[in-house]
């Protein structure tokens, strides 16, 4: 069932969204070469808790950390580890959820660490831009497929692979609600967008090929080709005045 939120619910979701967005970017600003992804997760965890929220991902389906941290050829759901050290030239995708006042915010960003390649820079730029191509279509009267198609068309125009095995989703009192929000599809198809719907749009884009595989840990998703992958996500509200980004950070 697709839920439509009231104005007061949207205000609560903005509160959750700010904590998620600020925790994400506080984490991004804290990245240092030589740091482990375990340390980075701890910084993000502490930020969320300090601001009175609960990390949405911690324990979700058994996930053992507060942030998913996925470096280079990892697409999503990377498990932070003391053994995984961030290096100069890495691209680090961080996905964060915060729960407060009965609602979740869910957001992701891929950070460039130090001297990254030109290819990596372009992948990050295009994937981030594709998120906004999708957000532009998130208006009442459009359909989910309009968002999906806009993301896909933009990324495919650069020759990138759009991950199809994982998709965006509704967000609200549950972290994952209906509808699914794929990063591929036909314009004019899928559920109709109504004012008050809240969805996470989250392009997961591979430099080469759309195929992915999952590590034996049951979580970490990698590109099958071994290429880099980027992930950007916002939770947005569909309103009569246009899309509102609920996870827009206030600290950057
Ligand atoms: Mg999400």
């Amino acid at each position: 069932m697709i839920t439509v939120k009231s104005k007061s619910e949207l205000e609560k979701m903005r509160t959750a969204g700010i904590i998620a967005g600020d925790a994400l970017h506080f984490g991004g600003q804290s990245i240092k070469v030589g740091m482990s992804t375990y340390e980075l997760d701890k910084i993000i965890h502490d930020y969320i808790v300090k601001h009175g929220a609960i990390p949405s991902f911690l324990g979700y389906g058994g996930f053992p950390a507060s942030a998913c941290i996925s470096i280079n050829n990892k697409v999503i759901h990377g498990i932070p580890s003391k053994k995984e050290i961030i290096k100069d030239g890495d691209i680090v995708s961080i996905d964060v959820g915060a729960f407060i006042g009965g609602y979740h915010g869910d957001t992701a960003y891929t950070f460039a660490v130090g001297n990254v390649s030109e290819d990596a820079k372009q992948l990050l730029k295009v994937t981030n831009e594709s998120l906004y191509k999708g957000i532009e279509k998130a208006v009442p009267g459009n359909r989910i497929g309009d968002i999906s198609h806009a993301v896909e068309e933009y990324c495919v125009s650069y020759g990138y692979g759009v991950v199809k095995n994982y998709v965006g989703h509704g967000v609200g009192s549950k972290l994952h609600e209906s509808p699914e929000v794929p990063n591929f599809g036909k314009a004019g198809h899928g559920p109709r967008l109504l004012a008050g719907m809240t969805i996470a749009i989250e392009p997961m884009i591979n430099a080469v090929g759309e195929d992915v595989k999952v590590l034996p840990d049951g979580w970490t998703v990698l590109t099958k080709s071994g290429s880099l992958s980027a992930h950007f996500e916002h939770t947005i509200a569909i309103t009569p005045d246009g899309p509102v980004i609920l996870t827009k950070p206030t600290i950057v």
Side-chain angles (χ1 to χ4, degrees), residues 200-230:
I201 304 174
E202 51 177 320
M204 294 156 249
I205 305 300
N206 300 343
V208 180
E210 66 183 56
D211 293 341
V212 295
K213 58 185 179 184
V214 181
L215 282 184
D217 65 22
W219 284 105
T220 312
V221 180
L222 307 169
T223 59
K224 204 164 184 184
S225 68
S227 82
L228 296 177
S229 187

Side-chain angles (χ1 to χ4, degrees), residues 57 95 106-107 167-169 171 175-176 200 202 231 233:
F57 299 169
D95 194 349
D106 186 5
T107 183
V167 297
H169 50 92
V171 188
L175 180 60
H176 293 116
E202 51 177 320
H231 181 209
E233 174 181 26

Side-chain angles (χ1 to χ4, degrees), residues 9 16-17 24-25 28 55 79 88 98 100 122 127 146 158 161 179 184 203 232-233 244:
E9 287 178 296
L24 171 64
H25 286 274
I79 301 173
D88 182 61
I100 186 169
Q122 182 185 272
T127 305
D146 294 309
Y158 284 85
F184 58 94
F232 289 82
E233 174 181 26
V244 174

